[in-house]
Amino acid sequence: RAGPVHVHLGVQEDFRPATKAHPAFVVNDLNRLCASLDAEGFSIRADHRLPDFHRAYVADPFGNRIELMEEIMSPGPEKEESAKRTKGRP
């Protein structure tokens, strides 16, 4: 659980980790999160930047692939105005 977001997981008998299909989570401060995960022994794999996002992949303890994304807030009138309108919202 992170704020109002809940992720529900289930278990099935013939479990195989998902190494291609995966959930993606938009996070704040991707570098800090990756450093924390690395310090806990998780292997982090950086990936090519998507337009407006930095991203990395990590595997959960069961081998499932998880994508972590952080929006790039580049300076510019549209981005600055959008940031002002959404400041303080989760």
Side-chain angles (χ1 to χ4, degrees):
R1 177 182 175 140
V5 177
H6 296 252
V7 177
H8 298 270
L9 306 172
V11 179
Q12 59 190 77
E13 290 290 322
D14 60 343
F15 173 77
R16 288 186 313 237
T19 57
K20 184 64 178 164
H22 60 276
F25 296 97
V26 177
V27 302
N28 294 319
D29 202 346
L30 180 63
N31 288 334
R32 187 178 68 153
L33 176 58
C34 287
S36 294
L37 290 168
D38 183 59
E40 292 296 323
F42 288 91
S43 178
I44 308 298
R45 185 172 64 85
D47 203 354
H48 298 288
R49 185 175 135 182
L50 289 176
D52 297 326
F53 285 92
H54 289 295
R55 62 187 182 153
Y57 293 97
V58 63
D60 71 12
F62 305 101
N64 296 295
R65 181 180 182 182
I66 299 172
E67 182 175 2
L68 305 170
M69 304 174 70
E70 179 180 25
E71 186 174 10
I72 301 167
M73 295 302 287
S74 59
E78 291 175 4
K79 293 273 185 182
E80 289 175 5
E81 192 58 38
S82 175
K84 287 178 191 174
R85 285 194 307 272
T86 60
K87 190 172 184 174
R89 289 198 285 190

